[in-house]
Every structure is written in C-alpha cells, then in structure tokens.
C-alpha cells in the first residue's frame, strides 16, 4: 500500500492546484452555481481559505449588529478579520511547537 507523505512541499502543491482551479471561476452542479473556495493567505503549513474568511466576517458582523455597533466599511472589516485569523493561526502554531497546552476553561 502506498504511503502518503504530508510535507510543506505537498501542501504548497495543493495550494497551487487550488489557485489554478480557482481561476476558472465557478462550478455548476445540476444548474446550481457554487463559487470555488480560494486560498487567501498561507500561514506556516496551513492555508486560510475564502470560506474561513467569509465565515469569520459573518460572525463579526453578527456581533456588531447584536451590540448595535457601527461596522467599518467592508474592505476594512475583511482586512481586520483576515489579520485576526492570521494572528490566531500564528499563535496556535507557536504554542503547538512550544508544547504549550491551554484548556478550554483557561
């Protein structure tokens, strides 16, 4: 049985394939148009996808609305959310490599 090796090179190949596929726009299934997921950032050995970004932007918008707060313009909001996602991934990666474990309560 073949062995699958997960390495930075393999992840980068996957990212390149996803980027090439994403240039073709959308895929239709039974008349339905579904946008492809795009890689918007690479952090260490992982990728931040457009799906991750959209999910987090939606959550932030919901929090703003719940608090009756004024939202920044869309591009600024997306930039700030992406920066937050990247920062979190960097911290989690650093903690993992350092052996730091934090419980859910902490």
């Amino acid at each position: 049985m073949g062995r699958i090796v997960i390495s930075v090179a393999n992840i980068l190949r996957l990212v390149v394939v996803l980027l090439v596929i994403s240039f073709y726009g959308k895929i239709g299934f039974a008349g339905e148009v579904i946008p492809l997921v795009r890689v918007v950032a690479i952090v260490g050995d992982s990728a931040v996808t457009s799906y991750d970004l959209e999910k987090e932007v939606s959550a932030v918008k919901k929090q703003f609305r719940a608090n009756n707060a004024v939202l920044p313009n869309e591009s600024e909001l997306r930039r700030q959310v992406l920066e937050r996602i990247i920062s979190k991934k960097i911290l989690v990666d650093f903690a993992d490599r350092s052996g730091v474990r934090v419980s859910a309560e902490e």
Side-chain angles (χ1 to χ4, degrees), residues 12-76:
L12 289 176
R13 284 187 194 106
L14 176 61
V15 169
V16 168
V17 168
L18 289 173
L19 287 172
V20 169
I21 291 171
S22 71
F23 285 115
Y24 290 100
K26 301 178 181 199
I27 299 175
F29 294 98
E32 183 181 359
V33 177
I34 302 170
L36 289 175
V37 174
R38 298 172 193 251
V39 175
V40 294
I42 298 175
V43 182
D45 293 340
S46 65
V48 178
T49 65
S50 58
Y51 175 80
D52 300 327
L53 180 59
E54 294 304 323
K55 187 170 74 171
E56 193 65 28
V57 166
S58 293
V60 169
K61 284 180 177 180
K62 185 183 265 188
Q63 290 173 346
F64 268 77
R65 288 186 194 110
N67 294 322
N68 292 323
V70 177
L71 280 164
N73 68 51
E74 186 71 20
S75 63
E76 180 63 19

Side-chain angles (χ1 to χ4, degrees), residues 86-96:
I86 291 169
S87 296
K88 183 177 178 182
K89 283 188 176 278
I90 290 170
L91 288 171
V92 168
D93 185 47
F94 178 75
D96 286 344

